[in-house]
Amino acid sequence: DVKVTQSSRYLVKRTGEKVFLECVQDMDHENMFWYRQDPGLGLRLIYFSYDVKMKEKGDIPEGYSVSREKKERFSLILESASTNQTSMYLCASTDREQETQYFGPGTRLLVL
Amino acid sequence: GESVGLHLPTLSVQEGDNSIINCAYSNSASDYFIWYKQESGKGPQFIIDIRSNMDKRQGQRVTVLLNKTVKHLSLQIAATQPGDSAVYFCAENTDSNYKLTFGKGTLLTVNP
């Protein structure tokens, strides 16, 4: 079974803090994705990566950056957290042969 | 008051009944479709997929139907159980980088 894990289920941070969200997959997948999910807006793509050290902006990259130093790990970074970044963050991965994205359990982030 | 956009379409069924959840997709060039199930507080879970060269695919208690003429996808759940209560959303692949476009979802409530 594909397993995608995220470092935290719940996080509470203060405005202006730097926040790291970690995602690890154990299936040697090339492609990894970060989404945020908000009521009424569905899943929105922040960034994705199709290889180590490669990254592409998604639909809403502003205020975020990412890092992919190892194939299994994809990190989402909020350089200076703001209250409008309070959300559910979901990581997903897939390999080049498949198109199904497998999701982690999500991190619910609250920025105060 | 709350925006209408914050409210998901809702389907309420009795335990044991069949459920049909619908999705209108956006791009006639999409060639791959997925249904996901998301329980409260969890990440989306893959249910079933279908390629555009098929119009029907069956899994265990689930069937996906694809009507390319009207760009419509449906998920049928047989003998719905309380554990099926969740948000269900469809996704379509319209991009060679394996990016998916997600629907907003439908909330399925199963009454015992």
Side-chain angles (χ1 to χ4, degrees), chain A residues 9 31 33 35 37 39-43 45 48 88 90 94-96 98-106, chain B residues 5-8 31-32 34 36 38 41-46 49 51 89 93 95 97-100 102-104:
Chain A
R9 292 302 304 276
N31 302 318
F33 306 80
Y35 296 90
Q37 186 178 36
L41 298 177
L43 282 160
L45 181 64
F48 69 101
M88 172 74 139
L90 290 160
T94 188
D95 67 26
R96 292 204 182 107
Q98 301 183 57
E99 294 167 81
T100 305
Q101 290 185 17
Y102 296 94
F103 285 85
Chain B
L6 293 176
H7 296 286
L8 286 175
D31 60 2
Y32 179 67
I34 308 169
Y36 286 95
Q38 187 174 21
K42 297 184 179 180
Q45 176 187 359
F46 170 85
D49 58 2
R51 294 213 168 268
F89 53 90
N93 179 358
D95 191 290
N97 278 329
Y98 305 109
K99 287 166 61 180
L100 296 176
F102 294 89
K104 299 288 193 295

